[in-house]
Amino acid sequence: MSFFWKIRIFCFATVPIRDYIVFMRIIALSTLKNFWAAPAYADAKEPLLAWYRFALNADWASPANIKADLRSASILRDGRVIFNIAGNKYRLAVWINYPYRVVYIRFVGTHAQYDAIDPQTI
C-alpha cells in the first residue's frame, strides 16, 4: 500500500462518522405512535409520518434552515420549534440540538391541548 493511501485512510478514520451523516436524528418516535394509536387521532398518522420522513432527511443546522424548509414553523427560544401538522389541525413541539442534528419530540396534540401547555417548559 502506498504512503498516500495510508495517510488518506488515517485521515478518514480520525474524523467522527457523525460528520459524514447529514440527516437529523429524531428521538421519541414512540410519542408520535402513541398519539396516532388513539382512535380519536387516527387521522394524524399519515401527516405525522410525512413530517417524520421530511425531518429525517432535513439538514437543520439553525432555525433559519427550518424556516427556509417549512415557512409555517414557529421558532421559539432555546431551540424550541412548533410545527403545524395536518393543515393546522395538530401541533408538534420539538426541541432541537442544532450542532448534533438531534430533534427531541416534546409534545404532539390538538390546538386546544397545545393552548393548555407552555411550550417553553415541556
Side-chain angles (χ1 to χ4, degrees), residues 11-112:
C11 291
F12 181 76
T14 59
V15 176
I17 191 68
R18 183 77 189 139
D19 291 343
Y20 295 105
I21 300 172
V22 294
F23 56 84
M24 305 295 285
R25 288 181 44 210
I26 300 175
I27 305 296
L29 175 62
S30 62
T31 305
L32 298 180
K33 289 179 181 178
N34 291 338
F35 181 73
W36 75 57
Y41 309 120
D43 62 332
K45 181 177 181 178
E46 289 305 317
L48 285 171
L49 280 175
W51 175 86
Y52 178 78
R53 290 183 194 114
F54 183 83
L56 273 180
N57 294 315
D59 186 19
W60 294 330
S62 70
N65 296 127
I66 295 174
K67 286 302 268 187
D69 286 346
L70 301 166
R71 305 295 264 160
S72 65
S74 300
I75 308 296
L76 305 177
R77 64 179 185 264
D78 297 329
R80 305 284 177 148
V81 182
I82 308 301
F83 294 99
N84 295 316
I85 305 294
N88 290 339
K89 189 173 182 182
Y90 302 107
R91 290 243 170 141
L92 177 66
V94 301
W95 177 74
I96 300 177
N97 185 336
Y98 293 104
Y100 291 98
R101 309 290 201 277
V102 179
V103 177
Y104 298 91
I105 297 173
R106 309 298 296 159
F107 170 82
V108 60
T110 64
H111 273 273

